[in-house]
């Protein structure tokens, strides 16, 4: 091999090394970006779930307030009319309280399930992004190895 062809060989090998390094950097960056997107999906899902929990707590608070106002109006109406708060009026108010408790329990369960569903959805999306990141990393390494003929050197 002549001196000039040897220098050309070293220069082309050096360029190939730089290109391989850039490809590896790109593959690592792609993997890191996908992992970051997965973390972002989890964070967004958690924020959405927490918002759902706060909304549910507010709905329950408002429903209780409204019930307490209505129950107070029933007591005042009964007292104004001179009716004793025993017997039928008391049964009516107790039934209203039972209905309110069931409605509150329903609201709380619905809010809990909504928050859980949002968390699970975000985790599924994040897992998908992570799987995609791993698949892309493996594919990128295989492509870089093929482009640089690394696999022919192994066998």
């Amino acid at each position: 091999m002549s001196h000039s062809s040897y220098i050309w060989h070293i220069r082309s090998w050096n360029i190939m090394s730089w290109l391989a390094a850039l490809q590896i950097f790109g593959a690592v960056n792609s993997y890191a970006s996908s992992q970051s997107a997965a973390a972002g999906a989890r964070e967004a899902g958690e924020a959405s779930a927490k918002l759902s929990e706060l909304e549910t707590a507010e709905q329950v608070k408002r429903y209780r307030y409204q019930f307490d106002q209505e129950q107070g109006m029933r007591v005042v109406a009964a007292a104004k009319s001179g009716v004793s708060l025993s017997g039928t009026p008391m049964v009516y108010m107790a039934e209203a309280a039972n209905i309110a408790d069931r409605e509150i329990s329903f609201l709380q369960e619905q809010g809990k399930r909504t928050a859980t569903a949002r968390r699970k959805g975000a985790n599924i999306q994040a897992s998908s992004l992570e799987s995609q990141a791993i698949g892309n990393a493996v594919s990128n390494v295989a492509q870089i190895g093929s482009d640089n003929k690394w696999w022919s050197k192994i066998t």
Side-chain angles (χ1 to χ4, degrees):
M1 180 182 284
S2 73
H3 180 67
S4 63
S5 66
Y6 179 73
I7 291 175
W8 174 251
H9 178 72
I10 290 173
R11 284 184 182 162
S12 77
W13 183 82
N14 199 13
I15 291 171
M16 293 291 281
S17 296
W18 279 105
L19 290 175
L22 288 174
Q23 287 175 312
I24 291 168
F25 175 76
V28 168
N29 190 39
S30 174
Y31 178 80
S33 294
S34 294
Q35 291 294 340
S36 178
R42 280 197 175 89
E43 286 177 22
E46 185 60 29
S48 178
K50 285 182 179 180
L51 178 61
S52 176
E53 291 167 344
L54 288 172
E55 288 172 344
T56 297
E58 185 61 28
Q59 284 177 328
V60 167
K61 181 178 161 186
R62 288 178 184 200
Y63 188 85
R64 278 193 176 127
Y65 178 80
Q66 181 182 351
F67 170 76
D68 289 344
Q69 293 294 313
E70 291 171 359
Q71 194 76 321
M73 290 184 338
R74 284 189 277 276
V75 170
V76 168
K80 277 186 176 180
S81 69
V83 175
S84 169
L85 287 179
S86 60
T88 304
M90 191 59 146
V91 170
Y92 175 71
M93 289 183 359
E95 181 60 23
N98 285 336
I99 291 170
D101 286 342
R102 285 194 305 267
E103 183 65 25
I104 287 169
S105 292
F106 173 78
L107 287 171
Q108 289 171 330
E109 183 63 23
Q110 183 182 33
K112 187 171 106 177
R113 288 181 183 205
T114 300
T116 298
R118 289 179 179 178
R119 283 185 180 99
K120 284 182 180 180
N123 283 331
I124 289 168
Q125 182 182 11
S127 293
S128 175
L129 288 168
E130 289 170 340
S131 293
Q132 182 181 1
I134 291 168
N136 286 342
V138 169
S139 176
N140 287 337
V141 167
Q143 185 64 46
I144 293 167
S146 177
D147 290 348
N148 292 286
K149 299 182 174 100
W150 292 343
W151 310 135
S152 63
K153 296 174 185 174
I154 293 174
T155 58

